[in-house]
Amino acid sequence: MAGLRLGPLLRYTDGSCATVWVETDGPCTAEVRCADGARGTTRTFQVAGHHYALVPVGDLTPGTATEYEVLLDDAPVWPPPDSRFPPSVIATPTDQDGLRVAFGSCRWAAPPSGGKDKVGPDALDTLAGRVAADPRGARPDVLLLLGDQVYADETSDATRQWLAGRRDLSEPPGDQVADYEEYTRLYYESWLDPEVRWLLSTVPSCMIFDDHDVIDDWNTSAAWLADMRATDWWQERLQSGLMSYWVYQQLGNLSPDELAADPLYKSVCESPDGTDALRAFAERADADRDSVRWSYRRDFGRTRLVMVDSRAARVLEENRRAMLDQGEAAWLREQVLDDRESYDHLLIGTSLPWLLPHLVHDMEAWNSAMCGGVRGERWARRGERIRRGADLEHWSAFPSSFDALGDLIAEAGTGPGAPATVSVLSGDVHHAYVAEPSWPDRTPDAKVAQLTCSPVHNSVPLSIRLGFRFGWSAPARALGRRIARHGRCTPPAVRWRRSGGPWFGNQIMTLTLRGRSARLRLEQARTERDGTTALRVTADRELA
C-alpha cells in the first residue's frame, strides 16, 4: 500500500477547480475528496524512482471553502489521524471578497539544531501558526514564493551528513547537491516542516526559481557560464535542478487546461518512467532557451499576476545582454497589455528587484559598461571579476532590459482602462523596501511601486544591513552618479525614491486588494519573551 511521502500542496485554484500536488512512496491512484462532494483522481507518474501526482479537482463552488482529504488507493492518508492542525481546505474566493496576496523569497529551510534557530524564527512557520490558531480569521488567498525555495549550494549540517553517506565530498561539487536524488532531499527538508506542510496544504501557492535553486549567480554572464560548463559536474547539476523544479514547483503553477495541453506532462504521465523524457527536456532548456517558457500568468478575478523568469531567459553575450530574450520580452508585453480593462491590479513577479538602492543600480550599470569594453580590455576583465564577486546581475545590470520594463510598466499604467496599481514583487536582496518610480515625460494613472520582501528565513549579516542602508542615502546617490559617469552610462529613463524601509529580518509582505484599493502590510517574525514566535507589523500603509 502506497503512503504519502510529501504534501499535499494546494497549488492552482480558481472559482471552480484546483490542483493538489503529492509525492507518494509507490505507484497508486491519488484522490482528493472534498466535503461538498467535489473530487478528483489521477494515477501517479514516476521520475527517477520517485512517484508524484497532481490531482485536478473540479466542480468547486465559487465563494466557498471546503475541507478535503487525500486518499491513495482508497486509503485515507491526509489529514493524519493525530494532526494538531485544523482541516485543510480548498477556498474559492470571489471578486467581492477581495484578494490577499502574501509574498517573499529566500527561505533557508534547515531545521534548528539543539532547539535554537541560528537565523531567527521562520516567517512562513510563524504565519502558519497564526493561521492555524484562527482558521476562520484573515488568511492569504495565495502565497507567492519568489525564488530560493531551496538552497542547492548552501546545505544544512544534516544534509551534508546525508550527502557524505552517498559520495566523497572532497570531490566537486563537494557539500552542494549534485543530482536529482539530492534535490529531493532539499524539498523534503523544506516541505516536511509540520507548520509549512500544513500551510501549503491549505493556502494556494505560485512559485518561481532564483539562483540558489540551482547555484549562486546562476547565469551571471557568458564568461561565468563558460567556466561552469568546463567542469565535469555542472551539466548534471543544472539538469537535475531544472527537472526537480518542473516536478516540485512548475507543474503546480499551471492550470488544468494548460497541463492538458502540455506535451511533456502528457509524455511523463503516460510513460512507465518519465525520467528520460524529463531529462531530454532539461537538456533542451539548457541548450536552447527559446524551447521552454518558465514564466506564466495567473488571473485572480480582477487581479493579474505575470510571473517572470529572470534567470533562465537571459541573453548573456556581452554585445547584446538582456534579462529576457526577444521571445520572452514579447510574451511579457502581451500578457501585461492583453485585455487591460479586465484587471484593476497588475502584479509583476520577478525574483530580482527592478528598482534597487541608487548606488547599487549605478554600480551595476557601470559594471555592465566596463564588461562591455567601454574602457578597454583591462577594465573588462576587472569588471567581470567584480561582477561575480559582488553579485552585480540584477535588472540594472541589463540596462536595455531595465528601461524596457520601465516603459512597459508606464504604458500599462497610463490612459483609459489603466489599472489602479502596478506592483513589481521581488525578493533576493535580504531586506525589504518600497520604491516608487516617476517618469520625466509622463505620469501614469496607476499607482506604481517596487515591493521587495526578503528573506523569509535566512541570515542578514551586519555588512548587508550597513551596505543597503548606505546604498539608499544621499551621499551614496552622489557617489553612484560619479561611478556612472566613469562608465559613460546613459542615465536611466525612470527615476525613483524609497518610500518605505529598508527593513531587515525574517519577514513577509501581504497585499490586500479590494476593488481598486490596495493596502500593504509588512510583518516580521519575532521571538517573544516566553519563547514563542509571532508576526509583528513593521509597516502598514495604503498604496491606492
Side-chain angles (χ1 to χ4, degrees):
M1 181 180 298
L4 185 64
R5 186 168 174 80
L6 193 59
L9 276 73
L10 178 60
R11 297 302 314 274
Y12 179 92
T13 60
D14 61 23
S16 61
C17 66
T19 61
V20 177
W21 182 96
V22 295
E23 180 176 354
T24 67
D25 59 14
C28 61
T29 295
E31 180 179 5
V32 173
R33 291 182 188 172
C34 299
D36 67 357
R39 62 172 56 192
T41 63
T42 190
R43 287 291 298 179
T44 55
F45 61 88
Q46 178 172 307
V47 174
H50 294 259
H51 304 271
Y52 310 93
L54 189 64
V55 184
V57 183
D59 299 322
L60 295 167
T61 303
T64 63
T66 180
E67 297 176 8
Y68 75 90
E69 60 178 342
V70 177
L71 302 91
L72 303 179
D73 288 336
D74 291 322
V77 294
W78 185 270
D82 57 349
S83 175
R84 57 186 171 88
F85 297 101
S88 301
V89 301
I90 300 176
T92 54
T94 64
D95 290 344
Q96 290 72 30
D97 299 324
L99 186 73
R100 293 185 185 90
V101 181
F103 62 95
S105 80
C106 306
R107 180 173 178 265
W108 193 66
S113 57
K116 183 174 177 58
D117 194 334
K118 64 182 180 181
V119 300
D122 187 328
L124 211 57
D125 263 6
T126 310
L127 174 64
R130 185 174 71 188
V131 174
D134 185 13
R136 296 184 181 275
R139 64 162 70 190
D141 296 304
V142 63
L143 177 63
L144 309 184
L145 300 176
L146 296 169
D148 296 345
Q149 275 70 261
V150 294
Y151 279 70
D153 52 351
E154 295 180 23
T155 54
S156 67
D157 292 341
T159 294
R160 285 193 290 272
Q161 292 176 7
W162 181 82
L163 293 174
R166 299 189 79 231
R167 55 182 172 83
D168 183 358
L169 299 191
S170 67
E171 297 292 331
D175 59 7
Q176 303 179 21
V177 301
D179 58 24
Y180 186 89
E181 183 65 29
E182 294 177 7
Y183 264 102
T184 67
R185 167 79 184 195
L186 298 184
Y187 285 102
Y188 298 155
E189 187 172 60
S190 179
W191 291 354
L192 280 176
D193 173 291
E195 285 78 14
V196 169
R197 187 178 194 181
W198 176 80
L199 183 71
L200 294 177
S201 78
T202 199
V203 174
S205 55
C206 299
M207 307 179 188
I208 193 69
F209 47 47
D210 198 24
D211 55 346
H212 289 284
D213 291 86
V214 176
I215 193 170
D216 189 26
D217 300 340
W218 179 26
N219 283 345
T220 289
S221 65
W224 177 93
L225 184 58
D227 288 347
M228 298 305 294
R229 286 176 170 170
T231 69
D232 59 5
W233 56 269
W234 169 247
Q235 200 68 15
E236 179 63 30
R237 165 74 155 274
L238 178 63
Q239 289 177 13
S240 297
L242 295 178
M243 290 168 66
S244 61
Y245 175 80
W246 185 85
V247 171
Y248 286 84
Q249 298 192 51
Q250 177 70 356
L251 283 180
N253 294 327
L254 307 179
S255 71
D257 287 344
E258 289 170 322
L259 290 167
D262 187 337
L264 175 62
Y265 184 62
K266 180 179 180 181
S267 174
V268 170
C269 288
E270 292 180 349
S271 171
D273 188 321
T275 307
D276 290 343
L278 188 53
R279 183 172 294 278
F281 166 80
E283 290 175 355
R284 290 195 304 273
D286 178 36
D288 178 12
R289 58 179 171 264
D290 294 329
S291 67
V292 60
R293 172 162 294 122
W294 301 107
S295 303
Y296 58 94
R297 167 180 149 186
R298 292 285 309 277
D299 289 330
F300 302 92
R302 293 192 61 81
T303 297
R304 176 168 299 173
L305 166 68
V306 183
M307 193 74 88
V308 182
D309 162 21
S310 50
R311 280 292 170 187
R314 296 179 176 189
V315 179
L316 299 179
E317 292 81 1
E318 287 297 340
N319 61 345
R320 60 188 192 96
R321 273 171 64 86
M323 182 66 84
L324 307 177
D325 63 42
Q326 187 173 5
E328 196 77 6
W331 176 89
L332 173 60
R333 180 176 180 81
E334 179 183 356
Q335 304 311 309
V336 166
L337 299 180
D338 176 43
D339 195 13
R340 191 177 57 154
E341 295 184 358
S342 68
Y343 61 83
D344 292 320
H345 304 279
L346 173 63
L347 310 179
I348 299 176
T350 166
S351 62
L352 302 174
W354 169 51
L355 302 178
L356 286 165
H358 296 96
L359 176 58
V360 180
H361 175 95
D362 290 334
M363 282 287 297
E364 295 200 355
W366 167 85
N367 181 260
S368 177
M370 293 298 102
C371 293
V374 72
R375 289 283 185 180
E377 183 61 32
R378 188 177 64 148
W379 270 106
R381 291 193 299 270
R382 184 180 300 171
E384 177 64 24
R385 291 195 299 271
I386 294 172
R387 175 158 58 190
R388 298 193 203 185
D391 291 352
L392 302 181
E393 39 90 32
H394 298 79
W395 284 88
S396 47
F398 299 80
S400 62
S401 298
F402 175 90
D403 288 339
L405 181 57
D407 288 344
L408 177 60
I409 289 170
E411 182 178 354
T414 303
T421 67
V422 179
S423 301
V424 181
L425 312 183
S426 306
D428 179 69
V429 291
H430 285 215
H431 73 298
Y433 60 90
V434 179
E436 298 181 15
S438 61
W439 287 259
D441 58 344
R442 64 186 118 177
T443 302
D445 300 282
K447 180 72 171 181
V448 181
Q450 166 75 64
L451 307 177
T452 302
C453 183
S454 165
V456 170
H457 184 233
N458 212 316
S459 61
V460 186
L462 180 62
S463 58
I464 288 181
R465 295 173 186 256
L466 296 176
F468 279 117
R469 286 192 189 280
F470 176 71
W472 283 112
S473 69
R477 194 166 187 173
L479 175 61
R481 285 194 290 264
R482 294 188 62 181
I483 292 171
R485 283 196 295 271
H486 177 263
R488 301 169 183 167
C489 301
T490 302
V494 60
R495 303 186 182 101
W496 62 99
R497 67 181 183 90
R498 174 179 53 86
S499 60
W503 298 291
F504 299 94
N506 293 331
Q507 49 204 350
I508 198 155
M509 276 184 175
T510 301
L511 266 177
T512 300
L513 309 171
R514 193 179 306 276
R516 291 181 66 82
S517 71
R519 191 170 193 89
L520 176 70
R521 173 175 286 197
L522 174 72
E523 296 174 288
Q524 294 185 333
R526 305 281 179 83
T527 301
E528 305 288 70
R529 290 183 178 180
D530 62 2
T532 62
T533 62
L535 288 175
R536 296 302 180 196
V537 177
T538 302
D540 192 351
R541 56 183 292 184
E542 289 186 2
L543 292 182

